[in-house]
């Protein structure tokens, strides 16, 4: 088994560009599959889940190659998110496995819901959804307890490189890495091709024009290349620990919000109470959380992502049924025969029933 994994790892490193192109092409297909044939959404989500799980496995393998092979070094420094999450994965095994399990559930939860919808009753399906939300809430609280800091999303390092830039067919290349030593020899010009004559003067028409503006000051050139405080901090110190009960309460409320929402929906309520409860919890967590400093770029980006996610309430519950869905249906009907826009309208018509039928398409 270990030899097979070693062979697959070698194959992945040697053909990472091809594999990445294949992943990208298959991901594009998952967006247009729903509505094409019976159970097309199931096939689309199964393909998407497999791609996400395989990508997470590939990223783990490539990161391990980068750390164990001393012949290579990163071409560009890692982002703050990658440094922070990787440091916690290396520091605490409980964090690593809890974070990976949380991401694995996130990749497969919609596929599980689709399977439950086809095999069991509505009541049993919602029980399965609530069980998933309980597991996710417990994992988030475990991560919160281990780090004692606001939880980032995703809690594992993301892929930062562009495998398309990796030369194909190379046995010693890796996607984010470059050889640490230069080539052994440089080709020199043969003696009989060298020009031993005095060069001719440059023609005025070939002379570059004088600069029309003053050169960039040295300070402006060096400032973007200077190290910031985040560059020299320990990775686990990029996010400050939670320091008082108010900050802890904000994080706990935010991470329990999806569980409360799912439990209220599982009881069969058709009114707006589940949606309003989740929205109130979201706004309460927003008001209780601390204001990060200007240098806390990682924490500020996480809070900005949470603020942007509030727009998802437009496709949930009573807001979706009474306002957003009629607007989208009207737009799709008016533009159905319009060139180019009609293609988008057809996709909207295919996706609207899926939002009605499945919880995890728009779950918090």
């Amino acid at each position: 088994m270990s030899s097979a994994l070693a062979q697959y790892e070698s194959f992945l490193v040697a053909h990472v560009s091809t594999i990445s192109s294949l992943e990208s092409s298959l991901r594009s297909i998952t967006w247009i599959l729903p509505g094409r044939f019976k159970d097309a959404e199931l096939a689309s989500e199964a393909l998407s889940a497999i791609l996400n799980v395989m990508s997470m496995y590939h990223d783990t393998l490539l990161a391990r190659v980068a750390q164990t092979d001393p012949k290579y070094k990163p071409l560009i420094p890692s982002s703050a998110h990658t440094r922070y999450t990787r440091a916690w994965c290396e520091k605490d095994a409980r964090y690593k496995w809890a974070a990976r399990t949380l991401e694995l559930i996130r990749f497969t939860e919609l596929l599980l819901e689709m399977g439950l919808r086809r095999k069991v009753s509505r009541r049993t399906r919602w029980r399965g959804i609530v069980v998933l939300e309980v597991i996710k809430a417990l994992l988030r609280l475990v991560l919160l307890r281990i780090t004692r800091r606001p939880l980032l999303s995703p809690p594992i390092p993301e892929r930062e490189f562009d495998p398309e830039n990796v030369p194909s067919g190379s046995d010693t290349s890796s996607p984010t890495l470059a050889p640490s030593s230069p080539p052994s020899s440089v080709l020199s010009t043969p003696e009989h091709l060298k020009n031993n004559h005095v060069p001719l003067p440059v023609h005025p028409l070939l002379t570059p024009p004088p600069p029309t503006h003053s050169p960039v000051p040295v300070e402006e050139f060096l400032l973007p290349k200077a190290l910031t405080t985040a560059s020299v901090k320990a990775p686990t110190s990029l996010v400050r620990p939670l320091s008082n009960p108010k900050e802890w309460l904000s994080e706990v409320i935010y991470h329990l919000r999806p569980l409360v929402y799912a439990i209220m929906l599982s009881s069969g309520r058709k009114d707006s109470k589940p949606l309003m409860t989740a929205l109130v919890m979201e706004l309460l967590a927003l008001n209780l959380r601390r204001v990060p400093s200007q240098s806390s770029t990682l924490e500020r980006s996480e809070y900005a992502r949470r603020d942007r996610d509030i727009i998802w309430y437009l496709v949930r519950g009573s807001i979706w049924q009474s306002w957003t869905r009629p607007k989208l249906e009207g737009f799709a009907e008016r533009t159905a025969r319009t060139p180019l826009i009609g293609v988008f309208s057809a996709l909207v018509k295919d996706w609207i029933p899926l939002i009605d039928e499945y919880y995890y398409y728009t779950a918090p």
Side-chain angles (χ1 to χ4, degrees):
M1 186 66 179
S2 59
S3 61
L5 288 177
Q7 292 177 0
Y8 181 75
E9 180 177 336
S10 300
F11 175 81
L12 172 65
V13 174
H15 303 87
V16 62
S17 179
T18 304
I19 294 175
S20 178
S21 299
L22 180 61
E23 289 179 359
S24 178
S25 301
L26 292 176
R27 287 183 197 279
S28 301
I29 295 176
T30 62
W31 285 97
I32 60 176
L33 272 182
R36 305 279 82 83
F37 53 88
K38 184 180 179 181
D39 292 335
E41 69 274 10
L42 181 62
S44 172
E45 192 55 35
L47 179 59
S48 178
I50 292 173
L51 288 174
N52 287 329
V53 174
M54 290 300 295
S55 294
M56 184 171 67
Y57 178 61
H58 290 167
D59 293 347
T60 303
L61 285 181
L62 294 171
R64 188 171 63 195
V65 171
Q67 293 177 353
T68 57
D69 196 335
K71 295 186 301 180
Y72 299 105
K73 62 181 180 180
L75 286 176
I76 56 175
S78 299
S79 67
H81 178 274
T82 298
R83 291 177 57 212
Y84 178 81
T85 52
R86 182 176 294 155
W88 277 110
C89 287
E90 295 173 352
K91 180 179 180 180
D92 197 308
R94 296 173 301 165
Y95 179 96
K96 178 176 68 175
W97 291 110
R100 288 181 180 177
T101 305
L102 184 61
E103 286 298 283
L104 186 63
I105 293 175
R106 186 173 68 87
F107 293 152
T108 58
E109 60 191 7
L110 181 54
L111 181 62
L112 294 174
E113 183 188 0
M114 289 180 175
L116 290 174
R117 186 177 184 275
R118 285 162 172 77
K119 296 296 183 181
V120 300
S121 63
R122 180 191 180 279
R123 188 176 185 87
T124 306
R125 175 169 69 98
W126 273 106
R127 285 177 180 173
I129 292 174
V130 171
V131 169
L132 282 178
E133 291 300 328
V134 168
I135 296 173
K136 289 165 61 179
L138 290 176
L139 289 173
R140 290 187 181 109
L141 293 179
V142 167
L143 295 175
L144 192 63
R145 178 66 180 83
I146 293 173
T147 62
R148 307 182 70 85
R149 290 165 171 81
L151 183 60
L152 303 185
S153 180
I156 59 176
E158 294 181 290
R159 180 180 294 184
E160 296 187 309
F161 50 85
D162 182 12
E164 297 296 334
N165 296 329
V166 182
S168 59
S170 175
D171 296 332
T172 58
S173 62
S174 183
T176 58
L177 311 172
S180 56
S181 58
S184 56
S185 61
V186 180
L187 297 177
S188 58
T189 305
E191 291 293 333
H192 65 282
L193 295 180
K194 290 183 178 179
N195 183 8
N196 297 321
H197 299 282
V198 179
L200 296 174
V202 180
H203 193 277
L205 294 178
L206 300 178
T207 305
T212 58
H213 59 277
S214 58
V216 179
V218 176
E219 293 80 2
E220 293 184 11
F221 174 77
L222 294 178
L223 188 59
K225 305 178 185 302
L227 291 175
T228 62
T229 54
S231 303
V232 296
K233 280 184 178 179
T236 55
S237 300
L238 293 174
V239 179
R240 292 188 299 111
L242 301 171
S243 58
N244 57 61
K246 180 180 175 182
E247 296 175 359
W248 278 96
L249 183 61
S250 172
E251 286 295 307
V252 171
I253 291 175
Y254 181 81
H255 295 303
L256 290 181
R257 168 186 48 88
L259 175 60
V260 174
Y261 183 57
I263 290 175
M264 297 185 71
L265 286 179
S266 65
S267 61
R269 302 185 66 101
K270 298 297 184 181
D271 56 11
S272 60
K273 189 172 182 180
L275 182 69
M276 291 299 104
T277 302
L279 184 57
V280 167
M281 293 180 69
E282 180 108 36
L283 297 177
L284 180 61
L286 188 151
N287 285 286
L288 289 177
R289 76 188 185 197
R290 66 192 180 194
V291 178
S293 62
Q294 291 292 335
S295 60
S296 302
T297 55
L298 195 55
E299 189 173 355
R300 293 174 68 88
S301 63
E302 171 63 20
Y303 289 158
R305 182 198 64 79
R306 295 183 184 183
D307 294 342
R308 291 192 301 269
D309 284 350
I310 295 179
I311 198 173
W312 282 99
Y313 282 93
L314 294 176
V315 289
R316 294 175 188 153
S318 56
I319 298 179
W320 162 253
Q321 296 293 340
S322 62
W323 190 81
T324 312
R325 178 178 174 174
K327 298 288 186 183
L328 287 178
E329 288 178 336
F331 169 79
E333 290 295 334
R334 290 192 303 270
T335 59
R337 300 181 181 276
T338 305
L340 297 181
I341 302 179
V343 177
F344 177 73
S345 302
L347 291 176
V348 170
K349 288 182 179 180
D350 293 335
W351 280 87
I352 285 177
L354 301 180
I355 297 176
D356 290 333
E357 295 174 4
Y358 298 106
Y359 167 76
Y360 278 117
Y361 266 116
T362 59

